[in-house]
Amino acid sequence: MFGTRQTILSVLLAAVVAAQDAITANGGNFTLTGDDVSYLFHVDAANGDLISDHFGAPVTDFIPPAFILGWGWHDNQANDRREFPDIGRSDIRLPAIHIEHSDGDTVSAFLYKSHEIIPGKPSIPGFPATYGNDTDVTTLQVQLYDNVSDVSAVLSYSIFPKYNAIARSFKITNNGTGDIVIERAASFSFDFPNAEYDVIEPHGDWSHEMNTVRRKVDYGETGFRSTEGYSGHNHNPFYMLASSSTTESSGEAWGFNLVWTGSFEAAIEKASNGYVRALLGLNSLHTSIKVAPGESFQAPEAVAVYSSNGLGGVSRSYHDLYRNHLSRHQATMETRPILLNSWEGLSFDINDTALVDLAGQSADIGIELFVMDDGWFGLEYPRNNDSLGLGDWTPNPEKFPDGLGPYIADVTKIDVVNASTNASTGSQIKFGLWMEPEMVNLNSTLYNEHPDWVLHAGKHARTLTRSQLVLNVGLPEVQNFIIDSVSKILDSGAVSYVKWDNNRGMHELARPSDSYQYILGLYHVIDTLTTKYPNVLWEGCASGGGRFDAGLLHYWPQHWTSDNTDAADRLQIQLGTSLIYPPSAMGCHISKSPNGMTQRDTSFTYRGHVAMMCGSFGLELNPHELSEDEVAALPAIMDQAHRVNPLVIHGSFYRLAGPQESNWPAVQFVSQDGSQSAVFAFQQQYTTKPGAPPLRLQGLDPKARYWNDLDNGTYSGATYANAGINARFERGIYLSKLIWLEKR
Ligand code: GLA
């Protein structure tokens, strides 16, 4: 389309210059400006390629690139910093886009055609994405065209200046006459200059989620992926890059997060010229997506954040951005009811009378939401263990002879009692339940009737995990089945909360792209149900944190963080999760001690403090089995949880010390208006020497004075930050303190 340098320049000069300051287009030079970030790229006037210039602290000018000797086997694009790298034209690094064209070749040449700057941010139909109005966000859409293959691309950039965040996605349209196949799609791709970087990434497994590892970005590829069909426990669609000297609270760091619940791939490639390409997108093993003539492929959105205030700065930007511009559920910015979940206390051993009894005991200790977990459904295959019943969403008649309606009515009549005063609060306990709608057991009526509804690959064995198979949510009939089954349950009584579980990964896929279609089908289902039942508090769960991702957080305000409820382990899991997701979105419960999984014995107060660091705080035990000490500790913990919850939901979160590095982990919340702060301090083991380091607080106004309830002192923000305070733990293991500060 653009044969000459002249033509490209004239198109660029004719382009409309944006009225918004957040994005300017000067000829072919694009500048995205946030409060503390600049993102620059330009059109190469010689060939129409997009070239990366800068992503980092504010700058005001475009500078010429580094000189790199162009001799050798690769020239041209091989030494460019590229914005939307394709493959086949001398760039031998990993591409952001890889297409098999209708004639079988995989060379692409996406060249600049035009652009548009739009106030606000258009939605991406069918996909979860960040959102905002004209004052929150500005969008740049760059149209690219591959003349040879008749394929076009729209590359979208939306900048949220207040959060130093840029959301990127792209759409490919097949304008030719034959099918094309998308083999690889990285929603974010940026070429950094030659410098020393580390990559910080969460890794783990079931009950061991979100540990973090920091490693040097060296020559070649550094990467990780999920091939589980879901975001998974082993990694998360998220990583940070940081300068080697960056710490938790200082230095440059960049975050990259894919707003996607399916398989993903993260790759950081350092080339021989030192340039570092950061990529994040779909897993190419689960792509191969066919696009027919006239149709389009949409890549999910990825969100990048820059901070010059270390890893903590990146985390807080994501927390604020996601609470205000990703999670669309009305409860996102509301304090959450204290809940009791029946799972660890009763397992599958439930029935209506036992549960009404448990709800009564729960209400007596101040529980506001009673959650019936697994075990309540199944006609022909009663759900008495995890090998049967999934898919048959009818209350089991032996456990619930009158159905769910009358039982829920009995529960929701019970008055909630204030645990400290023993007086009725005047409110009744709410009711919630567990479902796992995307799954089916072999032992179920659903599977007998619809064996073809599960993900499977021809005659290959359908491998089981937790005795279950995955329904193919890419199929419209399965989507309708789930919407109908869940609606029926929600219509049968006053259900205020749903825990939506998902307990295995995808194995056999008929086509790699089934995973992509499944996730789009799932979003359709969840979008429909959350729109139909906006007052239900939805909590995601996937054997704990197996799908703690930004895709689901768009629809649901909270997620069960881990099946591991051991408070000492939870410190690591919760702090790791907070690298990207806000504590307000985490579900955390006090379970019995010694812990059922780890056998570790910890005090009720320690368990309570760890759990109340999350937006959705609760208990997961049988209140009957509480010891005298635990009963004595409970009222104070309930009071503290109520007091702290508004700060967890709305406030800013600081990791003062992590359990991986310190025997004295600590975190801090600061209220939005800066007038209050809550510090959680822990001592894991007792050591005679050395003593604990002072807790140097963050986020306070250095000049203001704050009273604290630890030593009843009033000190300046500067003193708290630079000298710190001493929690003064005495002898003992697994100790905790909640320190409350108020501006005076
Ligand atoms: C999963 C969840 C648990 C619980 C059980 C019920 O493991 O993560 O919290 O709901 O299923 O079977």
Side-chain angles (χ1 to χ4, degrees), residues 230 437-440 450-456 469-480 482 506 508-511 513-519 521-522 525:
Y230 304 116
E438 299 156 68
M439 297 284 158
V440 64
H450 298 289
D452 287 345
W453 279 11
V454 302
L455 285 173
H456 64 283
L469 292 165
V470 185
L471 291 173
N472 184 355
V473 184
L475 301 174
E477 52 272 38
V478 171
Q479 294 161 20
N480 293 337
I482 297 177
M506 300 179 195
E508 293 79 26
L509 300 175
R511 284 167 296 275
S513 59
D514 280 359
S515 151
Y516 175 83
Q517 298 304 346
Y518 177 114
I519 298 298
L522 177 64
V525 167

mmCIF file of all heavy atoms in Angstrom, residues 230 437-440 450-456 469-480 482 506 508-511 513-519 521-522 525:
data_model
loop_
_atom_site.group_PDB
_atom_site.id
_atom_site.type_symbol
_atom_site.label_atom_id
_atom_site.label_comp_id
_atom_site.label_asym_id
_atom_site.label_seq_id
_atom_site.Cartn_x
_atom_site.Cartn_y
_atom_site.Cartn_z
ATOM 1 N N TYR A 230 -6.260 -23.282 31.719
ATOM 2 C CA TYR A 230 -6.609 -22.178 32.627
ATOM 3 C C TYR A 230 -5.317 -21.473 33.045
ATOM 4 O O TYR A 230 -4.232 -22.005 32.848
ATOM 5 C CB TYR A 230 -7.308 -22.712 33.878
ATOM 6 C CG TYR A 230 -8.532 -23.548 33.601
ATOM 7 C CD1 TYR A 230 -8.577 -24.893 33.953
ATOM 8 C CD2 TYR A 230 -9.650 -22.983 32.982
ATOM 9 C CE1 TYR A 230 -9.707 -25.657 33.708
ATOM 10 C CE2 TYR A 230 -10.779 -23.750 32.728
ATOM 11 C CZ TYR A 230 -10.803 -25.085 33.088
ATOM 12 O OH TYR A 230 -11.918 -25.836 32.840
ATOM 13 N N PRO A 437 -19.742 -25.526 38.234
ATOM 14 C CA PRO A 437 -20.595 -25.729 37.056
ATOM 15 C C PRO A 437 -19.894 -26.185 35.789
ATOM 16 O O PRO A 437 -20.564 -26.663 34.875
ATOM 17 C CB PRO A 437 -21.212 -24.339 36.841
ATOM 18 C CG PRO A 437 -21.002 -23.603 38.115
ATOM 19 C CD PRO A 437 -19.745 -24.146 38.692
ATOM 20 N N GLU A 438 -18.565 -26.054 35.708
ATOM 21 C CA GLU A 438 -17.897 -26.414 34.445
ATOM 22 C C GLU A 438 -17.464 -27.882 34.409
ATOM 23 O O GLU A 438 -16.805 -28.294 33.454
ATOM 24 C CB GLU A 438 -16.659 -25.526 34.252
ATOM 25 C CG GLU A 438 -16.960 -24.054 34.160
ATOM 26 C CD GLU A 438 -15.757 -23.214 34.565
ATOM 27 O OE1 GLU A 438 -14.760 -23.213 33.833
ATOM 28 O OE2 GLU A 438 -15.806 -22.545 35.622
ATOM 29 N N MET A 439 -17.845 -28.648 35.432
ATOM 30 C CA MET A 439 -17.289 -30.001 35.559
ATOM 31 C C MET A 439 -18.376 -31.061 35.624
ATOM 32 O O MET A 439 -19.529 -30.779 35.927
ATOM 33 C CB MET A 439 -16.454 -30.072 36.844
ATOM 34 C CG MET A 439 -15.267 -29.152 36.833
ATOM 35 S SD MET A 439 -13.940 -29.795 35.804
ATOM 36 C CE MET A 439 -13.052 -28.275 35.473
ATOM 37 N N VAL A 440 -17.956 -32.314 35.381
ATOM 38 C CA VAL A 440 -18.890 -33.442 35.468
ATOM 39 C C VAL A 440 -18.128 -34.678 35.959
ATOM 40 O O VAL A 440 -16.967 -34.879 35.593
ATOM 41 C CB VAL A 440 -19.560 -33.682 34.091
ATOM 42 C CG1 VAL A 440 -18.558 -34.099 33.029
ATOM 43 C CG2 VAL A 440 -20.691 -34.695 34.157
ATOM 44 N N HIS A 450 -25.030 -36.942 28.239
ATOM 45 C CA HIS A 450 -24.277 -36.119 27.272
ATOM 46 C C HIS A 450 -22.774 -36.396 27.317
ATOM 47 O O HIS A 450 -21.982 -35.480 27.588
ATOM 48 C CB HIS A 450 -24.508 -34.629 27.568
ATOM 49 C CG HIS A 450 -25.920 -34.198 27.428
ATOM 50 N ND1 HIS A 450 -26.548 -34.086 26.213
ATOM 51 C CD2 HIS A 450 -26.832 -33.864 28.373
ATOM 52 C CE1 HIS A 450 -27.796 -33.689 26.400
ATOM 53 N NE2 HIS A 450 -27.999 -33.561 27.700
ATOM 54 N N PRO A 451 -22.366 -37.624 27.003
ATOM 55 C CA PRO A 451 -20.915 -37.896 27.050
ATOM 56 C C PRO A 451 -20.123 -37.017 26.080
ATOM 57 O O PRO A 451 -18.941 -36.777 26.284
ATOM 58 C CB PRO A 451 -20.816 -39.382 26.674
ATOM 59 C CG PRO A 451 -22.128 -39.731 26.045
ATOM 60 C CD PRO A 451 -23.159 -38.794 26.608
ATOM 61 N N ASP A 452 -20.786 -36.497 25.043
ATOM 62 C CA ASP A 452 -20.060 -35.667 24.073
ATOM 63 C C ASP A 452 -19.875 -34.226 24.521
ATOM 64 O O ASP A 452 -19.245 -33.431 23.816
ATOM 65 C CB ASP A 452 -20.805 -35.659 22.720
ATOM 66 C CG ASP A 452 -20.640 -36.987 22.027
ATOM 67 O OD1 ASP A 452 -19.752 -37.761 22.452
ATOM 68 O OD2 ASP A 452 -21.405 -37.260 21.092
ATOM 69 N N TRP A 453 -20.456 -33.889 25.652
ATOM 70 C CA TRP A 453 -20.296 -32.514 26.128
ATOM 71 C C TRP A 453 -18.939 -32.270 26.789
ATOM 72 O O TRP A 453 -18.618 -31.145 27.120
ATOM 73 C CB TRP A 453 -21.407 -32.181 27.139
ATOM 74 C CG TRP A 453 -22.709 -31.816 26.485
ATOM 75 C CD1 TRP A 453 -23.049 -31.952 25.174
ATOM 76 C CD2 TRP A 453 -23.848 -31.248 27.136
ATOM 77 N NE1 TRP A 453 -24.326 -31.502 24.960
ATOM 78 C CE2 TRP A 453 -24.847 -31.064 26.159
ATOM 79 C CE3 TRP A 453 -24.135 -30.872 28.448
ATOM 80 C CZ2 TRP A 453 -26.095 -30.511 26.441
ATOM 81 C CZ3 TRP A 453 -25.379 -30.335 28.744
ATOM 82 C CH2 TRP A 453 -26.345 -30.159 27.733
ATOM 83 N N VAL A 454 -18.166 -33.318 27.035
ATOM 84 C CA VAL A 454 -16.886 -33.085 27.722
ATOM 85 C C VAL A 454 -15.779 -32.850 26.703
ATOM 86 O O VAL A 454 -15.867 -33.292 25.551
ATOM 87 C CB VAL A 454 -16.498 -34.257 28.657
ATOM 88 C CG1 VAL A 454 -17.576 -34.496 29.695
ATOM 89 C CG2 VAL A 454 -16.184 -35.515 27.887
ATOM 90 N N LEU A 455 -14.740 -32.165 27.140
ATOM 91 C CA LEU A 455 -13.558 -31.989 26.293
ATOM 92 C C LEU A 455 -12.954 -33.361 26.050
ATOM 93 O O LEU A 455 -12.705 -34.110 27.004
ATOM 94 C CB LEU A 455 -12.526 -31.100 26.997
ATOM 95 C CG LEU A 455 -12.807 -29.610 27.060
ATOM 96 C CD1 LEU A 455 -11.753 -28.927 27.935
ATOM 97 C CD2 LEU A 455 -12.834 -28.974 25.676
ATOM 98 N N HIS A 456 -12.743 -33.720 24.807
ATOM 99 C CA HIS A 456 -12.129 -35.010 24.510
ATOM 100 C C HIS A 456 -11.517 -34.935 23.114
ATOM 101 O O HIS A 456 -11.871 -34.066 22.311
ATOM 102 C CB HIS A 456 -13.149 -36.145 24.604
ATOM 103 C CG HIS A 456 -14.261 -36.052 23.597
ATOM 104 N ND1 HIS A 456 -15.321 -35.177 23.739
ATOM 105 C CD2 HIS A 456 -14.465 -36.711 22.439
ATOM 106 C CE1 HIS A 456 -16.132 -35.309 22.707
ATOM 107 N NE2 HIS A 456 -15.650 -36.224 21.898
ATOM 108 N N LEU A 469 -14.335 -34.835 34.762
ATOM 109 C CA LEU A 469 -13.999 -34.382 33.405
ATOM 110 C C LEU A 469 -14.466 -32.938 33.250
ATOM 111 O O LEU A 469 -15.289 -32.450 34.033
ATOM 112 C CB LEU A 469 -14.705 -35.268 32.375
ATOM 113 C CG LEU A 469 -14.200 -36.721 32.304
ATOM 114 C CD1 LEU A 469 -15.191 -37.593 31.546
ATOM 115 C CD2 LEU A 469 -12.821 -36.790 31.638
ATOM 116 N N VAL A 470 -13.946 -32.290 32.208
ATOM 117 C CA VAL A 470 -14.256 -30.876 31.991
ATOM 118 C C VAL A 470 -15.320 -30.756 30.895
ATOM 119 O O VAL A 470 -15.140 -31.303 29.806
ATOM 120 C CB VAL A 470 -12.982 -30.116 31.540
ATOM 121 C CG1 VAL A 470 -13.258 -28.623 31.415
ATOM 122 C CG2 VAL A 470 -11.832 -30.379 32.496
ATOM 123 N N LEU A 471 -16.402 -30.067 31.184
ATOM 124 C CA LEU A 471 -17.403 -29.815 30.146
ATOM 125 C C LEU A 471 -16.795 -28.852 29.121
ATOM 126 O O LEU A 471 -16.043 -27.943 29.491
ATOM 127 C CB LEU A 471 -18.658 -29.181 30.746
ATOM 128 C CG LEU A 471 -19.506 -30.084 31.646
ATOM 129 C CD1 LEU A 471 -20.615 -29.261 32.307
ATOM 130 C CD2 LEU A 471 -20.106 -31.239 30.852
ATOM 131 N N ASN A 472 -17.151 -29.032 27.857
ATOM 132 C CA ASN A 472 -16.621 -28.131 26.829
ATOM 133 C C ASN A 472 -17.480 -26.859 26.788
ATOM 134 O O ASN A 472 -18.488 -26.795 26.090
ATOM 135 C CB ASN A 472 -16.617 -28.831 25.468
ATOM 136 C CG ASN A 472 -15.983 -27.952 24.413
ATOM 137 O OD1 ASN A 472 -15.640 -26.794 24.679
ATOM 138 N ND2 ASN A 472 -15.813 -28.487 23.229
ATOM 139 N N VAL A 473 -17.035 -25.875 27.557
ATOM 140 C CA VAL A 473 -17.829 -24.647 27.696
ATOM 141 C C VAL A 473 -17.780 -23.803 26.406
ATOM 142 O O VAL A 473 -18.482 -22.816 26.263
ATOM 143 C CB VAL A 473 -17.396 -23.867 28.962
ATOM 144 C CG1 VAL A 473 -18.259 -22.651 29.197
ATOM 145 C CG2 VAL A 473 -17.467 -24.763 30.190
ATOM 146 N N GLY A 474 -16.988 -24.229 25.448
ATOM 147 C CA GLY A 474 -17.018 -23.587 24.129
ATOM 148 C C GLY A 474 -18.303 -23.910 23.368
ATOM 149 O O GLY A 474 -18.663 -23.204 22.419
ATOM 150 N N LEU A 475 -19.020 -24.979 23.768
ATOM 151 C CA LEU A 475 -20.247 -25.370 23.063
ATOM 152 C C LEU A 475 -21.441 -24.564 23.573
ATOM 153 O O LEU A 475 -21.677 -24.524 24.792
ATOM 154 C CB LEU A 475 -20.544 -26.863 23.286
ATOM 155 C CG LEU A 475 -19.477 -27.865 22.831
ATOM 156 C CD1 LEU A 475 -19.854 -29.280 23.260
ATOM 157 C CD2 LEU A 475 -19.313 -27.790 21.311
ATOM 158 N N PRO A 476 -22.238 -23.970 22.661
ATOM 159 C CA PRO A 476 -23.391 -23.175 23.116
ATOM 160 C C PRO A 476 -24.352 -23.981 23.990
ATOM 161 O O PRO A 476 -24.910 -23.456 24.952
ATOM 162 C CB PRO A 476 -24.068 -22.754 21.806
ATOM 163 C CG PRO A 476 -22.996 -22.846 20.767
ATOM 164 C CD PRO A 476 -22.046 -23.914 21.212
ATOM 165 N N GLU A 477 -24.533 -25.310 23.699
ATOM 166 C CA GLU A 477 -25.476 -26.094 24.513
ATOM 167 C C GLU A 477 -24.969 -26.241 25.952
ATOM 168 O O GLU A 477 -25.752 -26.271 26.898
ATOM 169 C CB GLU A 477 -25.785 -27.453 23.875
ATOM 170 C CG GLU A 477 -24.608 -28.317 23.478
ATOM 171 C CD GLU A 477 -24.078 -28.038 22.068
ATOM 172 O OE1 GLU A 477 -24.052 -26.857 21.652
ATOM 173 O OE2 GLU A 477 -23.661 -29.010 21.387
ATOM 174 N N VAL A 478 -23.649 -26.324 26.108
ATOM 175 C CA VAL A 478 -23.095 -26.421 27.466
ATOM 176 C C VAL A 478 -23.245 -25.064 28.170
ATOM 177 O O VAL A 478 -23.603 -24.997 29.354
ATOM 178 C CB VAL A 478 -21.615 -26.879 27.421
ATOM 179 C CG1 VAL A 478 -20.978 -26.776 28.796
ATOM 180 C CG2 VAL A 478 -21.520 -28.306 26.886
ATOM 181 N N GLN A 479 -22.999 -23.987 27.438
ATOM 182 C CA GLN A 479 -23.165 -22.647 28.031
ATOM 183 C C GLN A 479 -24.599 -22.484 28.541
ATOM 184 O O GLN A 479 -24.821 -22.032 29.672
ATOM 185 C CB GLN A 479 -22.863 -21.561 26.996
ATOM 186 C CG GLN A 479 -21.408 -21.536 26.564
ATOM 187 C CD GLN A 479 -21.197 -20.795 25.237
ATOM 188 O OE1 GLN A 479 -22.019 -19.998 24.816
ATOM 189 N NE2 GLN A 479 -20.089 -21.079 24.577
ATOM 190 N N ASN A 480 -25.564 -22.886 27.722
ATOM 191 C CA ASN A 480 -26.968 -22.730 28.141
ATOM 192 C C ASN A 480 -27.301 -23.626 29.322
ATOM 193 O O ASN A 480 -28.030 -23.224 30.230
ATOM 194 C CB ASN A 480 -27.913 -23.036 26.966
ATOM 195 C CG ASN A 480 -27.757 -21.977 25.892
ATOM 196 O OD1 ASN A 480 -27.316 -20.859 26.172
ATOM 197 N ND2 ASN A 480 -28.072 -22.327 24.657
ATOM 198 N N ILE A 482 -25.290 -24.531 31.710
ATOM 199 C CA ILE A 482 -24.731 -23.942 32.944
ATOM 200 C C ILE A 482 -25.570 -22.737 33.371
ATOM 201 O O ILE A 482 -25.926 -22.592 34.549
ATOM 202 C CB ILE A 482 -23.245 -23.555 32.754
ATOM 203 C CG1 ILE A 482 -22.410 -24.805 32.478
ATOM 204 C CG2 ILE A 482 -22.722 -22.821 33.984
ATOM 205 C CD1 ILE A 482 -20.934 -24.535 32.215
ATOM 206 N N MET A 506 -7.503 -28.732 31.845
ATOM 207 C CA MET A 506 -7.947 -29.389 30.613
ATOM 208 C C MET A 506 -6.845 -30.354 30.160
ATOM 209 O O MET A 506 -5.673 -30.005 30.228
ATOM 210 C CB MET A 506 -8.150 -28.343 29.512
ATOM 211 C CG MET A 506 -9.171 -27.291 29.849
ATOM 212 S SD MET A 506 -9.309 -26.098 28.481
ATOM 213 C CE MET A 506 -10.200 -24.765 29.308
ATOM 214 N N GLU A 508 -7.326 -33.566 27.303
ATOM 215 C CA GLU A 508 -7.480 -33.849 25.875
ATOM 216 C C GLU A 508 -8.313 -32.757 25.214
ATOM 217 O O GLU A 508 -9.447 -32.487 25.624
ATOM 218 C CB GLU A 508 -8.163 -35.208 25.667
ATOM 219 C CG GLU A 508 -7.317 -36.391 26.119
ATOM 220 C CD GLU A 508 -7.338 -36.621 27.617
ATOM 221 O OE1 GLU A 508 -8.324 -36.241 28.270
ATOM 222 O OE2 GLU A 508 -6.355 -37.174 28.152
ATOM 223 N N LEU A 509 -7.731 -32.140 24.202
ATOM 224 C CA LEU A 509 -8.457 -31.135 23.414
ATOM 225 C C LEU A 509 -8.546 -31.654 21.980
ATOM 226 O O LEU A 509 -7.553 -32.137 21.437
ATOM 227 C CB LEU A 509 -7.697 -29.805 23.397
ATOM 228 C CG LEU A 509 -7.442 -29.115 24.737
ATOM 229 C CD1 LEU A 509 -6.574 -27.877 24.525
ATOM 230 C CD2 LEU A 509 -8.748 -28.720 25.395
ATOM 231 N N ALA A 510 -9.720 -31.539 21.379
ATOM 232 C CA ALA A 510 -9.858 -31.985 19.992
ATOM 233 C C ALA A 510 -8.987 -31.118 19.081
ATOM 234 O O ALA A 510 -8.378 -31.600 18.133
ATOM 235 C CB ALA A 510 -11.311 -31.917 19.560
ATOM 236 N N ARG A 511 -8.933 -29.839 19.376
ATOM 237 C CA ARG A 511 -8.083 -28.895 18.638
ATOM 238 C C ARG A 511 -7.436 -27.976 19.671
ATOM 239 O O ARG A 511 -8.073 -27.655 20.689
ATOM 240 C CB ARG A 511 -8.929 -28.021 17.707
ATOM 241 C CG ARG A 511 -9.417 -28.700 16.441
ATOM 242 C CD ARG A 511 -10.485 -27.867 15.769
ATOM 243 N NE ARG A 511 -11.652 -27.779 16.652
ATOM 244 C CZ ARG A 511 -12.609 -28.704 16.695
ATOM 245 N NH1 ARG A 511 -12.579 -29.729 15.900
ATOM 246 N NH2 ARG A 511 -13.607 -28.602 17.547
ATOM 247 N N SER A 513 -7.185 -24.898 19.690
ATOM 248 C CA SER A 513 -7.974 -23.679 19.878
ATOM 249 C C SER A 513 -9.225 -23.908 20.727
ATOM 250 O O SER A 513 -9.917 -22.955 21.080
ATOM 251 C CB SER A 513 -8.385 -23.112 18.519
ATOM 252 O OG SER A 513 -9.133 -24.074 17.803
ATOM 253 N N ASP A 514 -9.527 -25.172 21.093
ATOM 254 C CA ASP A 514 -10.686 -25.427 21.964
ATOM 255 C C ASP A 514 -10.551 -24.680 23.287
ATOM 256 O O ASP A 514 -11.541 -24.291 23.905
ATOM 257 C CB ASP A 514 -10.818 -26.926 22.259
ATOM 258 C CG ASP A 514 -11.477 -27.664 21.093
ATOM 259 O OD1 ASP A 514 -11.832 -27.004 20.097
ATOM 260 O OD2 ASP A 514 -11.609 -28.902 21.186
ATOM 261 N N SER A 515 -9.308 -24.535 23.711
ATOM 262 C CA SER A 515 -9.071 -23.869 24.991
ATOM 263 C C SER A 515 -9.480 -22.387 24.906
ATOM 264 O O SER A 515 -10.143 -21.850 25.800
ATOM 265 C CB SER A 515 -7.605 -24.036 25.358
ATOM 266 O OG SER A 515 -7.146 -23.001 26.126
ATOM 267 N N TYR A 516 -9.108 -21.728 23.798
ATOM 268 C CA TYR A 516 -9.480 -20.312 23.574
ATOM 269 C C TYR A 516 -11.011 -20.179 23.492
ATOM 270 O O TYR A 516 -11.621 -19.322 24.149
ATOM 271 C CB TYR A 516 -8.803 -19.852 22.287
ATOM 272 C CG TYR A 516 -9.134 -18.463 21.789
ATOM 273 C CD1 TYR A 516 -8.478 -17.339 22.308
ATOM 274 C CD2 TYR A 516 -10.049 -18.278 20.767
ATOM 275 C CE1 TYR A 516 -8.752 -16.073 21.814
ATOM 276 C CE2 TYR A 516 -10.336 -17.011 20.271
ATOM 277 C CZ TYR A 516 -9.684 -15.911 20.806
ATOM 278 O OH TYR A 516 -9.956 -14.660 20.317
ATOM 279 N N GLN A 517 -11.648 -21.084 22.726
ATOM 280 C CA GLN A 517 -13.116 -21.033 22.571
ATOM 281 C C GLN A 517 -13.810 -21.280 23.900
ATOM 282 O O GLN A 517 -14.837 -20.683 24.210
ATOM 283 C CB GLN A 517 -13.596 -22.081 21.542
ATOM 284 C CG GLN A 517 -13.047 -21.873 20.140
ATOM 285 C CD GLN A 517 -13.355 -20.497 19.575
ATOM 286 O OE1 GLN A 517 -14.182 -19.765 20.101
ATOM 287 N NE2 GLN A 517 -12.639 -20.098 18.534
ATOM 288 N N TYR A 518 -13.245 -22.183 24.688
ATOM 289 C CA TYR A 518 -13.808 -22.499 26.010
ATOM 290 C C TYR A 518 -13.834 -21.235 26.877
ATOM 291 O O TYR A 518 -14.848 -20.901 27.496
ATOM 292 C CB TYR A 518 -12.937 -23.575 26.669
ATOM 293 C CG TYR A 518 -13.334 -23.967 28.078
ATOM 294 C CD1 TYR A 518 -13.803 -25.234 28.355
ATOM 295 C CD2 TYR A 518 -13.218 -23.075 29.148
ATOM 296 C CE1 TYR A 518 -14.158 -25.609 29.646
ATOM 297 C CE2 TYR A 518 -13.558 -23.435 30.432
ATOM 298 C CZ TYR A 518 -14.021 -24.703 30.678
ATOM 299 O OH TYR A 518 -14.364 -25.066 31.955
ATOM 300 N N ILE A 519 -12.707 -20.541 26.908
ATOM 301 C CA ILE A 519 -12.617 -19.378 27.801
ATOM 302 C C ILE A 519 -13.597 -18.285 27.338
ATOM 303 O O ILE A 519 -14.260 -17.650 28.158
ATOM 304 C CB ILE A 519 -11.163 -18.843 27.869
ATOM 305 C CG1 ILE A 519 -10.230 -19.926 28.451
ATOM 306 C CG2 ILE A 519 -11.085 -17.565 28.707
ATOM 307 C CD1 ILE A 519 -10.523 -20.376 29.874
ATOM 308 N N GLY A 521 -16.400 -18.882 25.847
ATOM 309 C CA GLY A 521 -17.708 -19.408 26.264
ATOM 310 C C GLY A 521 -17.930 -19.166 27.750
ATOM 311 O O GLY A 521 -19.023 -18.764 28.188
ATOM 312 N N LEU A 522 -16.886 -19.391 28.544
ATOM 313 C CA LEU A 522 -16.994 -19.178 29.993
ATOM 314 C C LEU A 522 -17.304 -17.711 30.292
ATOM 315 O O LEU A 522 -18.154 -17.393 31.131
ATOM 316 C CB LEU A 522 -15.680 -19.598 30.664
ATOM 317 C CG LEU A 522 -15.589 -19.368 32.168
ATOM 318 C CD1 LEU A 522 -16.611 -20.220 32.915
ATOM 319 C CD2 LEU A 522 -14.185 -19.676 32.684
ATOM 320 N N VAL A 525 -20.906 -17.067 29.717
ATOM 321 C CA VAL A 525 -21.734 -17.615 30.798
ATOM 322 C C VAL A 525 -21.681 -16.694 32.027
ATOM 323 O O VAL A 525 -22.712 -16.321 32.607
ATOM 324 C CB VAL A 525 -21.233 -19.040 31.169
ATOM 325 C CG1 VAL A 525 -21.830 -19.518 32.474
ATOM 326 C CG2 VAL A 525 -21.536 -20.010 30.036
#
